[in-house]
């Protein structure tokens, strides 16, 4: 195998070789190359050299950063590129937490010993650019071919974060969990509470941003026993649904299909970063409230007969607070949560749309969803509707009408900007700020959503009439100032 490397990096590796040191590409770059994926993070491990000598050597090729000294890492910046160079180390467990390790460095450590401290066999691969050889001491290439996620060895249990790393790896690379690794994971499930919230968030964000197979998350968490820490997900399994509407099975099964459909939609629409995360977390949480709201209820059939059906009345509004609690607990930033919650609380709104949707209704929906958007909601609706095999995937007709109406009103991506602002209202109160200004601008925005005016000129006429009628009843009345 020949790994594609930037010319500057190849020059550095060759220089290290000429100086008598062995430099290997390690970790994800080798894995991704074998999977025919772009190798983004190029990490180099250098043998037979001390940390200070490595830093001095690299200083001749760019700017070095020693912030990773306690881990034996030197960051080298050259142009727009940043690479991590490290010396091999041994880790000794000193406590219960993810960070409770003592690292020791020894230039005599072999590549096999260095690889033995990695988490999974697929990440314990190394590439020797001098010979073009892949160093595979633990069967990582075999596991990649067989799509198996397997721990390198018993040391896996020393770091509980590895279980969550495995979660996002399984979903990114479509991997099945090795039974022995699942058993080790179950043995350290109680150590979840020792993990820093920000590291938990990192792994869930990688799942949300990078996973083509996010629906593997449910089976993975169940297999590892870590589903006890994410009760909103585990509670979905086994919750019944009406087979006419959901032939795919229970709510847990449905949610995993919805997640995979959301990933396909994100790929189709070019969603990246936080935008992709919003869709994936909304898909994950859209039915969080079904376990608490599902019941077998009497309904009226097409012929007027009484039939019993599984229904989940009220799971839309109840699901928003549950999703907020879940996302806050795993450390997802507020900017994402603030979009996910209204999407979940409105993911069935299209069912209330008849053959015609009014401009007022679509404008008000855009306001209700903010900071999320109707465009985001339509993607969630499509994922939800498509996660019901063997029913065909696609956007329901009523959601398509919603999409088109939002485009016609120019509110697909955001609500209409308010035409009446505080600066328009202040003159009516002799330039005195206060709550009364917000009261008026809020009333104006409500009127705008109802279609009372459509331009700034019309808005100012509305404001004049409104103030003539309401000025005396506002909290801080004043005389109009013109």
């Amino acid at each position: 195998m020949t790994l594609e490397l930037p010319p500057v990096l190849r020059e550095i590796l060759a220089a290290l070789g000429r100086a008598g040191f062995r430099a290997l590409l390690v970790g994800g770059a080798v894995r991704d190359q074998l999977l025919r994926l772009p190798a983004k993070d190029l990490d180099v491990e250098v043998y037979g050299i001390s940390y200070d000598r490595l830093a001095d050597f690299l200083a001749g090729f760019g700017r070095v950063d020693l912030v990773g000294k306690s881990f034996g890492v030197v960051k080298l910046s050259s142009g727009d590129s940043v690479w991590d160079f490290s010396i091999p180390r041994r880790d000794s467990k000193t406590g219960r937490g993810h960070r409770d390790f003592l690292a020791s460095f020894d230039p005599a450590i072999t590549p096999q010993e260095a690889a033995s401290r990695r988490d999974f066999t697929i990440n314990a691969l190394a590439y020797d650019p001098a010979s073009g050889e892949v160093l595979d001491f633990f069967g990582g290439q075999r596991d990649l071919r067989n799509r198996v996620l397997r721990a390198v060895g018993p040391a896996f249990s020393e770091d509980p974060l590895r279980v969550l790393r495995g979660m996002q790896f399984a979903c990114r690379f479509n991997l099945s969990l090795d039974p022995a690794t699942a058993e080790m994971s179950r043995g350290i499930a109680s150590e979840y509470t020792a993990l820093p919230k920000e590291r938990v968030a990192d792994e869930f964000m990688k799942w949300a941003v990078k996973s083509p197979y996010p629906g593997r998350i449910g089976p993975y968490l169940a297999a590892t026993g870590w589903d006890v820490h994410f009760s909103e997900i585990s509670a979905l399994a086994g919750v019944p649904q009406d087979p006419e509407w959901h032939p795919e099975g229970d709510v847990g099964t449905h949610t995993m299909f919805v997640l995979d459909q959301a990933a396909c939609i994100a790929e189709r629409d070019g969603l990246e970063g936080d935008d992709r995360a919003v869709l994936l977390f909304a898909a994950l949480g859209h039915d969080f409230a079904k376990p608490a709201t599902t019941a077998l209820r009497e309904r009226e059939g097409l012929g007027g007969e009484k039939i019993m059906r599984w229904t989940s009345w009220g799971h839309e509004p109840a699901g928003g607070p549950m999703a907020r609690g879940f996302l806050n607990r795993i450390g997802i930033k507020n900017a994402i949560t603030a979009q996910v919650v209204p999407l979940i609380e409105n993911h069935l709104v299209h069912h209330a749309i008849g053959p015609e949707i009014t401009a007022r209704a679509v404008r008000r929906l855009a306001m209700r969803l903010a900071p999320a958007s109707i465009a985001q909601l339509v993607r969630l609706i499509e994922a939800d509707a498509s996660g019901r095999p063997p029913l065909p995937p696609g956007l329901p007709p009523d959601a398509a009408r919603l999409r088109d109406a939002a485009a016609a009103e120019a509110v697909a991506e955001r609500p209409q900007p308010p035409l009446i602002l505080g600066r328009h209202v202040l003159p009516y109160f002799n330039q005195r700020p206060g709550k009364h200004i917000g009261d008026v601008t809020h009333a104006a925005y409500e009127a705008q959503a109802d279609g009372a005016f459509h331009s700034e000129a019309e808005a100012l006429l509305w404001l004049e009439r409104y103030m003539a009628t309401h000025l005396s009843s506002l909290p801080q009345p004043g005389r109009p100032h013109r």
Side-chain angles (χ1 to χ4, degrees):
M1 181 181 80
T2 300
L3 194 65
E4 294 294 328
L5 300 174
V8 175
L9 180 57
R10 190 169 289 280
E11 177 188 347
I12 296 169
L13 299 179
L16 284 165
R18 290 192 298 269
F21 309 116
R22 190 180 190 188
L24 302 177
L25 269 294
V26 295
V30 186
R31 174 201 68 214
D32 291 349
Q33 183 76 6
L34 290 169
L35 290 172
R36 294 188 172 89
L37 298 172
K40 296 180 180 178
D41 297 324
L42 300 175
D43 298 331
V44 182
E45 208 157 53
V46 186
Y47 294 81
I49 193 172
S50 69
Y51 183 84
D52 291 337
R53 177 73 180 90
L54 177 61
D56 290 342
F57 187 95
L58 295 175
F61 295 91
R63 181 174 62 83
V64 298
D65 187 341
L66 307 183
V67 294
K69 185 172 184 177
S70 61
F71 297 98
V73 177
V74 179
K75 287 189 177 292
L76 174 67
S77 300
S78 177
D80 294 331
S81 300
V82 180
W83 302 299
D84 283 357
F85 289 76
S86 63
I87 58 174
R89 73 177 193 260
R90 297 185 181 94
D91 295 327
S92 301
K93 184 77 168 171
T94 60
R96 179 169 174 261
H98 161 69
R99 295 170 175 163
D100 295 331
F101 287 89
L102 179 64
S104 61
F105 306 99
D106 181 356
I109 294 175
T110 66
Q112 180 168 351
E113 184 180 358
S116 70
R117 69 178 175 82
R118 299 191 180 276
D119 49 12
F120 299 100
T121 60
I122 63 170
N123 296 330
L125 301 164
Y127 171 75
D128 188 339
S131 64
E133 178 187 8
V134 175
L135 306 181
D136 182 4
F137 305 106
F138 303 102
Q141 294 181 89
R142 177 199 62 220
D143 286 342
L144 276 180
R145 287 193 299 270
N146 295 331
R147 297 290 175 173
V148 172
L149 186 65
R150 187 190 315 275
V152 168
F156 174 87
S157 298
E158 295 179 353
D159 184 358
L161 185 66
R162 289 172 169 174
V163 180
L164 292 184
R165 281 172 56 80
M167 175 191 75
Q168 49 106 349
F169 287 140
C171 297
R172 285 169 60 187
F173 305 121
N174 196 22
L175 305 173
S176 297
L177 187 62
D178 162 63
T181 306
E183 181 64 29
M184 282 190 282
S185 301
R186 289 192 291 271
I188 56 174
S190 63
E191 296 189 32
Y192 169 75
T193 55
L195 294 177
K197 183 185 284 191
E198 64 270 17
R199 297 309 304 271
V200 174
D202 285 346
E203 301 308 322
F204 270 95
M205 281 299 294
K206 288 175 184 175
W207 167 82
V209 171
K210 297 183 177 183
S211 295
Y213 310 96
R216 282 193 169 272
I217 188 173
Y220 179 92
L221 291 174
T224 58
W226 281 51
D227 55 347
V228 299
H229 304 299
F230 311 106
S231 58
E232 294 89 348
I233 300 175
S234 63
L236 302 176
V239 177
Q241 301 188 106
D242 188 316
E244 180 179 346
W245 292 100
H246 288 280
E248 74 282 4
D250 63 34
V251 178
T253 301
H254 166 67
T255 298
M256 300 308 126
F257 281 126
V258 172
L259 285 169
D260 287 343
Q261 290 294 327
C264 293
I265 293 167
E267 178 69 20
R268 179 196 70 196
D269 293 353
L271 301 184
E272 297 180 339
D274 288 2
D275 292 335
R276 193 183 197 275
V278 168
L279 176 58
L280 266 293
F281 283 125
L284 176 64
H286 80 286
D287 280 346
F288 271 177
K290 274 192 174 180
T293 58
T294 296
L296 195 60
R297 298 180 173 97
E298 187 176 77
R299 305 294 304 276
E300 187 172 296
L302 294 177
E305 72 280 11
K306 299 298 182 181
I307 56 176
M308 301 299 291
R309 287 189 181 268
W310 291 107
T311 60
S312 306
W313 295 342
H315 79 275
E316 246 191 323
M322 291 185 67
R324 184 185 302 279
F326 171 79
L327 295 174
N328 287 345
R329 200 171 69 249
I330 65 172
I332 302 304
K333 62 185 180 182
N334 291 335
I336 290 176
T337 302
Q339 297 174 72
V340 169
V341 170
L343 292 175
I344 289 174
E345 292 177 342
N346 291 276
H347 74 271
L348 297 180
V349 70
H350 58 295
H351 290 314
I353 296 172
E356 301 293 336
I357 178 171
T358 66
R360 176 184 182 276
V362 76
R363 287 194 298 265
R364 286 201 163 274
L365 176 60
M367 292 168 58
R368 192 163 72 246
L369 287 171
S373 69
I374 291 177
Q376 291 173 304
L377 180 64
V378 167
R379 292 189 186 100
L380 177 60
I381 292 171
E382 182 180 359
D384 187 15
S386 300
R388 300 183 296 159
L391 297 179
L395 186 66
D398 45 10
R401 290 195 294 273
L402 171 61
R403 176 200 60 200
D404 296 343
E409 288 296 310
V411 294
E413 300 295 339
R414 61 190 59 83
Q416 290 180 335
L419 293 172
I420 295 297
L421 304 173
R423 60 182 174 85
H424 299 119
V425 180
L426 276 168
Y428 288 90
F429 295 94
N430 294 318
Q431 304 295 332
R432 290 183 297 170
K435 180 179 179 295
H436 49 281
I437 303 298
D439 291 342
V440 176
T441 56
H442 175 75
Y445 197 40
E446 291 290 314
Q448 181 180 332
D450 288 339
F453 48 83
H454 301 88
S455 67
E456 184 175 357
E458 292 177 358
L460 293 175
L461 288 174
W462 176 92
L463 178 61
E464 186 169 358
R465 291 193 296 269
Y466 179 87
M467 295 305 296
T469 305
H470 294 84
L471 185 59
S472 61
S473 62
L474 289 168
Q476 295 189 24
R479 298 181 64 83
H481 176 74
R482 292 181 173 80

